[in-house]
Amino acid sequence: MYYVYLIVNEFGERYIGYTSNLKRRLSEHNSGSNASTRNHKWRLVYYEAYLSKEDASRRENKLKQRGRSKDLLYERVRDSLEEI
């Protein structure tokens, strides 16, 4: 199983990624082992599950592009983003 996820830090910055182990990956983001998310506290606000790595990778790329998919995702998690 592969997961596409959205995490948000204490400043409301967002990060979209994909992984085969969501718990481990979130721990890596919060421990500082990922340079792009270092020195922040990240919280998981959304994820989607996929059977194949290719499908998860395609979805991640689509969400990272500017466009309707990204806008719809942010609308879906808006309440979670406002709590931060």
Side-chain angles (χ1 to χ4, degrees):
M1 190 69 65
Y2 293 87
Y3 304 92
V4 175
Y5 61 92
L6 170 64
I7 56 176
V8 179
N9 70 15
E10 66 275 18
F11 300 111
E13 296 170 337
R14 298 169 282 220
Y15 180 91
I16 295 171
Y18 84 96
T19 184
S20 61
N21 186 328
L22 201 51
K23 188 175 181 178
R24 175 190 50 79
R25 190 68 178 121
L26 184 59
S27 177
E28 289 172 356
H29 284 296
N30 282 317
S31 71
S33 61
N34 184 348
S36 62
T37 58
R38 189 171 288 143
N39 300 324
H40 294 289
K41 176 65 178 155
W42 295 91
R43 183 174 67 125
L44 179 68
V45 294
Y46 181 81
Y47 72 93
E48 300 172 354
Y50 293 88
L51 293 176
S52 76
K53 183 178 182 178
E54 294 78 18
D55 288 343
S57 177
R58 257 186 247 114
R59 179 66 169 151
E60 177 204 27
N61 288 332
K62 183 73 171 173
L63 289 173
K64 285 186 172 183
Q65 297 171 2
R66 299 213 182 270
R68 190 71 179 137
S69 295
K70 191 175 198 175
D71 294 342
L72 289 172
L73 174 61
Y74 290 165
E75 269 182 42
R76 182 179 282 179
V77 298
R78 178 184 29 216
D79 293 337
S80 295
L81 297 175
E82 290 173 357
E83 291 174 8
I84 296 175

